[in-house]
Amino acid sequence: MKYPAFRAMPALAALLIAGCAAPPPAPVAAPPGYLDQARDIAATVPANLLTVLTAELNRSGPAGAIEVCRDKAPEMARAASERTGWNVRRASLRNRNPKGVPDAWERGVLERFDTQAAAGVAGSTLETWQVVDEGGRQVFRYAKALPTQALCVQCHGAADKLSEPVKAKLRALYPNDRATGYEPGQIRGALFLKKPI
């Protein structure tokens, strides 16, 4: 004798369990002023670095500019953090600086930015933000994509097209470098900001 009613039991159990699960939390809006502050910082820090970097490229060429990126970019992020009260940093899926490895949230953002840029969305327009729980407290997180610019490929372009002085400097300063092979417009990384609410 067959018991057709018992065949439906696993499906019924799954429905009951799903019905008892808590609904996902509603998205939390950005606190007043947070998004504007984050956007202002994200516009200022890269622009300041670009000014310093361009001056060094003109003075000592790409090999000399590598040290500006290594030293000045973290200094500028640190100064912006101290001045504004935000945590400011850069990270990349293919980092050069060992400190530039993304956390899980940053990795998801960078992967999404890569997908959007590959689909034709201008990298300069890519940004995102979210209120997340970190250790029991609400934190506002913001990300702004850093697309590769034409001058960037002198140190971040195809490895076989880099000048010998650039290759030598990269070997000396970054033996585990992963940040070559980029073309203009590709997402080099992002500027990440966060602040407790």
Side-chain angles (χ1 to χ4, degrees):
M1 177 177 197
K2 295 189 179 184
Y3 301 98
F6 287 109
R7 287 191 210 137
M9 290 304 284
L12 179 60
L15 285 173
L16 289 173
I17 291 168
C20 294
V28 179
Y34 272 53
L35 183 56
D36 289 338
Q37 290 174 27
R39 282 176 168 161
D40 183 53
I41 296 165
T44 305
V45 172
N48 291 344
L49 177 60
L50 187 60
T51 299
V52 172
L53 185 59
T54 301
E56 189 60 34
L57 278 166
N58 291 335
R59 184 172 33 258
S60 61
I66 292 171
E67 291 186 46
V68 168
C69 269
R70 182 192 67 179
D71 299 334
K72 293 294 183 187
E75 283 176 19
M76 289 178 172
R78 215 172 11 260
S81 296
E82 291 169 2
R83 187 179 71 252
T84 64
W86 288 77
N87 178 300
V88 181
R89 74 185 222 105
R90 294 185 312 163
S92 173
L93 292 174
R94 289 165 33 203
N95 58 300
R96 174 161 286 168
N97 184 331
K99 295 179 181 175
V101 176
D103 65 21
W105 188 85
E106 293 165 344
R107 175 170 292 284
V109 167
L110 288 165
E111 289 169 351
R112 191 164 60 250
F113 283 171
D114 274 351
T115 300
Q116 291 172 302
V121 178
S124 60
T125 67
L126 295 174
E127 65 172 353
T128 191
W129 61 90
Q130 184 179 12
V131 175
V132 299
D133 181 84
E134 289 189 358
R137 68 179 184 172
Q138 296 286 289
V139 176
F140 181 77
R141 299 199 70 168
Y142 174 86
K144 175 72 176 167
L146 297 171
T148 304
Q149 300 189 29
L151 64 84
C152 300
V153 297
Q154 296 175 76
C155 300
H156 291 286
D160 62 339
K161 295 208 164 60
L162 300 179
S163 71
E164 285 307 318
V166 166
K167 289 179 186 177
K169 186 66 72 92
L170 289 176
R171 279 192 301 272
L173 297 178
Y174 299 106
N176 299 313
D177 180 39
R178 300 174 57 226
T180 58
Y182 287 96
E183 295 177 9
Q186 290 182 316
I187 303 304
R188 167 72 191 93
L191 192 70
F192 293 99
L193 293 84
K194 68 179 179 177
K195 186 176 182 180
I197 295 174

